[in-house]
């Protein structure tokens, strides 16, 4: 396979290794299915383990959606000028499953604030205007923050964590309701760009057991969580927003464009809300190197709205 592609870049490597040897678990299960080890290795380069957050689980809570945050004593409620930013999520990093290669803090609390309606559709020089990521290290003296008004506080829902398998969009098993799946199904070979042809050849030649490997990964680590930390967020709206917010002149790339996929691979979701019809939903994205350096002010938000 040619090396000058987004597929071969470091950003496409998966985050499957962890203290519980998830890589070994996956390889053993694939071996029992008779899948060659080299194909398992190729597939694993794209497989990421993400952390799904769900309410009402059997495990111990790792944080909460909505509610009131515990902020450092003396810190004001995050706002954009005179507009308070509602709390989306508070999560205890030390209670989350560890995924090696995903550089979340080992302890402390991450809090995500966003005013969805104001953030929606914004293409601005300051991508954090209507959103904040606040990190509170362990040992910090904190207090439950007093809300500026009731509009910035929603019902608190405690959440538990579980691992989930995640793949880039071009490797996912689409359904008939997804535009990208129809794109692959309907596009004639001669109408594809050279890069799209390369993706198609790669899946056919290098991953002949793709269906089995996908099913295996989802069987081992399945989660229907509404809110996810990590994994991929390379749908068209997210890729388009990232390119428009980070490149000159607000350029909007197709999500199956080589440059767009490469750019998207440099980012990872810090908090990824699932799509809810007729509502706003937000994805907090950060570059891998900014996450490793704990540069929380570099996070970028993508807020979408699903009309009925």
């Amino acid at each position: 396979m040619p090396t000058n592609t987004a597929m071969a870049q470091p950003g496409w490597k998966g985050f499957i290794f962890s203290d519980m040897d998830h890589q070994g678990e996956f390889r053993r299960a694939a071996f029992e299915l008779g899948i060659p080890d080299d194909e398992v290795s190729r597939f694993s380069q794209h497989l990421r383990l993400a952390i799904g957050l769900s309410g009402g689980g059997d495990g111990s809570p790792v944080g909460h959606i909505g509610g009131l945050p515990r902020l450092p004593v003396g810190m004001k409620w995050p706002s954009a000028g005179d507009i308070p930013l509602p709390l989306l999520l508070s999560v205890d990093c030390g209670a989350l499953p560890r995924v090696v290669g995903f550089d979340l803090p080992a302890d402390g609390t991450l809090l995500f604030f966003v005013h969805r309606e104001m953030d929606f559709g914004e293409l601005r020089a300051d991508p954090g205007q209507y959103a904040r990521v606040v990190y509170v290290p362990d040992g910090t003296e904190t207090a439950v923050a007093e809300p500026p008004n009731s509009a910035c506080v929603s019902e608190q829902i405690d959440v538990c964590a579980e691992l989930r398998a995640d793949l880039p969009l071009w490797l996912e098993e689409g359904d008939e309701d997804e535009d990208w799946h129809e794109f692959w199904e309907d596009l004639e070979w001669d109408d594809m760009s050279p890069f799209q042809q390369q993706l198609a050849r790669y899946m056919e030649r290098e991953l002949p057991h793709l269906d089995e490997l996908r099913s295996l990964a989802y069987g081992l680590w399945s989660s229907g969580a509404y809110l996810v930390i990590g994994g991929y967020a390379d749908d068209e709206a997210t890729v388009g927003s990232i390119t428009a917010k980070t490149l000159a002149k607000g350029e909007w790339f197709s999500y199956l464009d080589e440059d767009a996929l490469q750019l998207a691979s440099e980012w990872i979701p810090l908090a990824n809300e699932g799509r809810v019809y007729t509502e706003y939903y937000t994805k907090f994205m950060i570059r891998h190197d900014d996450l490793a350096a704990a540069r929380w002010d570099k996070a970028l938000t993508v807020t979408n709205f699903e009309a009925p």
Side-chain angles (χ1 to χ4, degrees):
M1 186 181 74
T3 57
N4 187 26
T5 72
M7 292 177 289
Q9 298 298 322
W12 286 93
K13 292 182 179 179
F15 300 146
I16 195 171
F17 290 101
S18 78
D19 296 339
M20 296 181 65
D21 189 23
H22 296 109
Q23 174 74 6
E25 181 182 7
F26 185 72
R27 286 189 177 277
R28 287 189 294 271
F31 177 79
E32 293 178 359
L33 294 175
I35 301 175
D37 191 64
D38 60 345
E39 185 180 350
V40 176
S41 296
R42 286 191 292 271
F43 179 82
S44 296
Q45 289 179 350
H46 308 292
L47 176 62
R48 292 180 178 178
L49 292 188
I51 302 167
L53 303 178
S54 302
D58 296 330
S60 300
V62 299
H64 56 87
I65 297 170
L68 295 173
R70 293 193 66 91
L71 295 175
V73 172
M75 180 178 177
K76 294 182 179 179
W77 190 288
S79 64
D82 59 354
I83 302 175
L85 303 178
L87 176 67
L88 170 65
L89 172 69
S90 173
V91 63
D92 177 2
C93 296
L96 295 175
R98 303 310 299 171
V99 179
V100 175
F102 182 25
D103 297 314
L104 283 175
D107 52 32
T109 303
L110 274 173
L111 302 110
F112 300 87
F113 297 84
V114 62
H115 194 298
R116 293 186 184 93
E117 291 85 348
M118 298 297 293
D119 192 66
F120 172 62
E122 287 290 325
L123 297 178
R124 53 188 182 276
D126 177 11
Q129 183 176 358
Y130 295 109
R132 298 285 186 281
V133 178
V134 176
Y135 175 63
V136 182
D138 272 2
T140 303
E141 185 180 0
T142 62
V144 176
E146 184 71 24
N149 57 56
S150 60
C152 63
V153 182
S154 59
E155 177 186 2
Q156 178 171 318
I157 302 173
D158 291 341
V159 292
C160 301
E162 60 181 347
L163 291 174
R164 58 173 272 169
D166 207 9
L167 291 167
L169 188 65
W170 57 273
L171 271 182
E172 283 277 12
E173 182 180 11
D175 61 47
E176 60 185 10
D177 294 327
E178 294 180 294
D179 291 341
W180 72 267
H181 181 66
E182 294 176 1
F183 175 91
W184 278 122
E185 291 293 316
D186 297 339
L187 192 63
E188 296 292 336
W189 181 263
D190 291 341
D191 294 331
M192 293 183 183
S193 70
F195 179 67
Q196 291 161 359
Q197 291 177 350
Q198 184 175 323
L199 289 178
R201 282 194 298 264
Y202 177 75
M203 288 187 285
E204 180 179 357
R205 298 176 182 177
E206 305 296 332
L207 297 172
H209 298 89
L210 177 57
D211 289 342
E212 294 97 319
L213 288 166
R214 274 192 302 231
S215 296
L216 177 59
Y218 295 147
L220 289 172
W221 305 294
S222 61
S223 169
Y226 161 73
L227 205 153
V228 178
I229 297 174
Y232 289 96
D234 56 357
D235 57 277
E236 183 173 22
T238 303
V239 170
S241 294
I242 289 175
T243 56
K245 290 182 178 183
T246 58
L247 300 179
K249 299 180 181 178
E251 187 173 3
W252 187 287
F253 285 161
S254 164
Y255 59 135
L256 283 178
D257 177 277
E258 181 175 7
D259 291 334
L261 287 182
Q262 175 57 35
L263 180 65
S265 74
E266 298 170 4
W267 296 76
I268 188 165
L270 269 177
N272 185 5
E273 276 192 293
R275 182 172 63 183
V276 178
Y277 291 101
T278 73
E279 292 184 12
Y280 295 95
Y281 59 99
T282 297
K283 305 174 191 294
F284 281 79
M285 307 290 295
I286 193 167
R287 292 183 188 270
H288 293 273
D289 55 349
D290 288 328
L291 174 59
R295 293 189 285 260
W296 309 113
D297 60 317
K298 300 297 185 181
L300 179 151
T301 52
V302 177
T303 296
N304 297 299
F305 180 76
E306 282 295 322

